[in-house]
Amino acid sequence: MTEHIEVAVWGGAGEHGRSCYHFQAGETSVLLDCGGKKEHGGQYPALVAQLVRKLKAVFLSHAHEDHMAALPLLLQHGYTGEVWLTRETHRQLPGYAKAWRRYVQSRGGTVPYGPYDWERMRYRFLDDEAPQGEWASIAPGLRAAWGPSGHLPGAVWLLLELEGRLAFFSGDYSSESTLLQSTLPPAALFAGRSIELALLDAAYGDAPGTQTSHLIELTDKLAEVHARGGHSLLPVPTCGRGMDLLVELIERLPELPIAAEASLTLEWARMLRPDLAAHWLRDEAPARLASAMRRIRTVTTDSERRHLLSDDPHVILSPDGMMLAEPALTYSRLLRGDPRHAVIFTGHRSSDARTDEPYSAEIASCRYKVHQGLPDVQQMLRKLRPQRALLVHAETGATARLTSHLLRQGYSALNETQVWQQLPRADESMTS
Ligand SMILES: [Zn+2]
Ligand SMILES: [Zn+2]
């Protein structure tokens, strides 16, 4: 057995985007995620071809662009193996691949691979190989276990065993989703061993907020907009937090009428399928979601949109968290001239998000947590007790503040955990 698991960051630590991590123990090496970064019209991980060719496996934690948009580049770098992911993540890939291409083109860039390169990728499904929380054999000297990470349906954490050594990858993680299940590796997987290396989602840096505190901020804002006679537009991704927001808003603001685009309600209704609900939703979630869905107004056509906007003030959930596609653009056009209305973003916005056109309607940001901040990282370190931890998915400053906070709280002593702020990584990004 080798001394320890070596990790190389090819993207995603000290920055938000292009997540890509190389783990190696002896002759066994794997890659975790291979994403794009939105800044500057699209950036990609610093892939090292001679290491890519030797990979035993590539794992994809979930379908978001910042984790998957560079996967086809692996083929260009000589990877001939499989990409391991869940069936639900696989189903979502084409939508996110399209969204990435649309984003890059909207910034005048080109994607450095063809749309058909996705079809050349070979996939294996983690959930076919083993149920959640149990080991699956991936290759000689390599086992993996997975479980839901509470970030998005299909999103997983991974526990890897490389030549007998354990490494954990949280993926994008939240234990605070209203509807989505989240777990951590069960004790049975460890057999008395400890995790040598943990890569933890710390996208919110040292932010101390809880989901409840953010929801209070959001509902206060919605009530304020409603009181002044305005509509609130919430652009949300098709899967994930829109579903949570719907249930929270219906339950917290029962007096406030809510409308949602049909493409969202179709996706939410699909999650009520017993097999999907059992995999990805909390026990009580299907009943709460079904009840919330009975109380919303569904919108499909442009004339319904216009009719809705001339009606009493509504909270409107529309697909596309970045507001780059229809129907979010139509809503934006119809609402922009009136300062009573508001567009409220609840997710991460890249630093080149559009602000070029005059806008009378209010633009606000109220976070809905789908990642980890200070209290969440603390809790994860307490539960997993890894020997080394690397905090990823945030800019250097935020990561440094979180790290010094954790060190002050004694995490360097806790089970000899070292918290690494950042690791050296291959120098040049493969920007197209
Ligand atoms: Zn994500
Ligand atoms: Zn992410």
Side-chain angles (χ1 to χ4, degrees):
M1 260 202 276
T2 47
E3 283 291 294
H4 56 250
I5 298 169
E6 286 173 46
V7 55
V9 176
W10 290 357
E15 61 184 338
H16 188 101
R18 59 169 186 169
S19 296
C20 190
Y21 312 99
H22 183 267
F23 283 9
Q24 175 131 25
E27 292 304 301
T28 304
S29 63
V30 300
L31 200 66
L32 298 163
D33 291 351
C34 197
K37 185 175 176 179
K38 286 216 161 116
E39 276 69 12
H40 310 297
Q43 292 178 300
Y44 301 89
L47 303 177
V48 182
Q50 68 267 33
L51 296 178
V52 167
R53 282 194 291 272
K54 291 184 185 160
L55 291 169
K56 287 251 175 90
V58 172
F59 295 91
L60 178 62
S61 63
H62 66 292
H64 282 153
E65 297 100 308
D66 53 328
H67 299 259
M68 58 63 101
L71 279 174
L73 292 177
L74 293 175
L75 302 181
Q76 293 174 13
H77 284 70
Y79 184 60
T80 53
E82 291 152 335
V83 175
W84 289 80
L85 72 186
T86 61
R87 283 195 170 273
E88 180 59 19
T89 292
H90 182 255
R91 185 191 71 90
Q92 295 166 17
L93 279 182
Y96 284 105
K98 217 167 118 189
W100 177 255
R101 191 162 288 277
R102 185 168 61 217
Y103 163 78
V104 170
Q105 287 168 353
S106 78
R107 295 297 184 276
T110 35
V111 176
Y113 50 82
Y116 300 107
D117 285 345
W118 283 106
E119 289 161 26
R120 295 170 51 219
M121 312 282 307
R122 295 192 298 127
Y123 300 103
R124 286 287 290 279
F125 301 119
L126 289 159
D127 32 355
D128 284 0
E129 224 58 36
Q132 62 158 292
E134 291 182 22
W135 286 117
S137 287
I138 306 294
L142 177 62
R143 295 198 294 171
W146 64 277
S149 72
H151 175 70
L152 174 80
V156 293
W157 52 258
L158 291 159
L159 185 68
L160 300 174
E161 190 192 61
L162 295 96
E163 306 207 347
R165 299 177 173 277
L166 296 179
F168 176 77
F169 176 43
S170 70
D172 285 0
Y173 194 98
S174 171
S175 62
E176 292 178 290
S177 167
T178 299
L179 300 179
L180 295 174
Q181 252 186 73
S182 61
T183 64
L184 283 174
L189 292 176
F190 294 94
R193 295 170 297 169
S194 74
I195 294 176
E196 272 189 31
L197 172 69
L199 224 74
L200 306 184
D201 170 16
Y204 298 152
D206 62 341
T210 61
Q211 195 74 286
T212 309
S213 64
H214 289 294
L215 278 167
I216 290 169
E217 199 185 315
L218 174 62
T219 50
D220 284 353
K221 173 54 74 183
L222 293 171
E224 176 195 319
V225 176
H226 188 255
R228 69 181 185 227
H231 295 289
S232 290
L233 177 67
L234 269 66
V236 292
T238 308
C239 324
R241 72 183 128 85
M243 199 167 69
D244 276 33
L245 283 169
L246 167 73
V247 169
E248 287 292 345
L249 298 182
I250 290 266
E251 293 177 1
R252 285 166 187 261
L253 297 168
E255 305 302 317
L256 220 153
I258 298 189
E261 282 288 327
S263 53
L264 291 175
T265 58
L266 272 174
E267 183 69 25
W268 300 337
R270 184 179 165 275
M271 284 312 294
L272 293 172
R273 252 173 51 184
D275 57 326
L276 292 176
H279 257 77
W280 305 112
L281 298 189
R282 294 178 186 275
D283 290 345
E284 75 289 4
R288 290 174 69 199
L289 178 58
S291 143
M293 286 184 62
R294 281 193 292 274
R295 293 170 50 192
I296 49 172
R297 171 165 166 179
T298 303
V299 185
T300 313
T301 64
D302 252 349
S303 81
E304 285 169 356
R305 280 170 206 126
R306 284 168 199 282
H307 195 245
L308 168 68
L309 294 185
S310 61
D311 208 340
D312 293 338
H314 275 68
V315 173
I316 304 163
L317 294 161
S318 165
D320 190 8
M322 294 287 291
M323 284 222 319
L324 285 175
E326 296 295 349
L329 290 172
T330 295
Y331 281 119
S332 174
R333 236 177 357 255
L334 294 170
L335 295 173
R336 62 186 303 157
D338 186 337
R340 289 175 304 166
H341 304 317
V343 179
I344 302 170
F345 292 94
T346 51
H348 176 80
R349 293 179 74 198
S350 65
S351 61
D352 63 349
R354 275 222 170 107
T355 47
D356 47 351
E357 292 161 4
Y359 223 90
S360 305
E362 181 182 359
I363 298 180
S365 282
C366 295
R367 173 175 285 166
Y368 183 81
K369 282 181 78 179
V370 294
H371 290 286
Q372 303 203 107
L374 174 63
D376 318 292
V377 171
Q378 277 172 328
Q379 183 176 300
M380 196 170 258
L381 285 171
R382 247 191 326 261
K383 286 184 175 162
L384 295 174
R385 297 183 161 258
Q387 292 167 23
R388 295 176 293 159
L390 175 63
L391 309 176
V392 300
H393 220 358
E395 301 299 326
T396 324
T399 311
R401 288 195 300 278
L402 173 61
T403 305
S404 60
H405 207 115
L406 292 168
L407 292 175
R408 275 202 307 279
Q409 296 202 338
Y411 277 87
S412 59
L414 170 69
N415 200 24
E416 296 183 354
T417 295
Q418 302 167 33
V419 180
W420 298 351
Q421 181 188 326
Q422 205 177 353
L423 288 173
R425 74 166 171 238
D427 349 292
E428 286 306 310
S429 84
M430 255 216 36
T431 310
S432 56

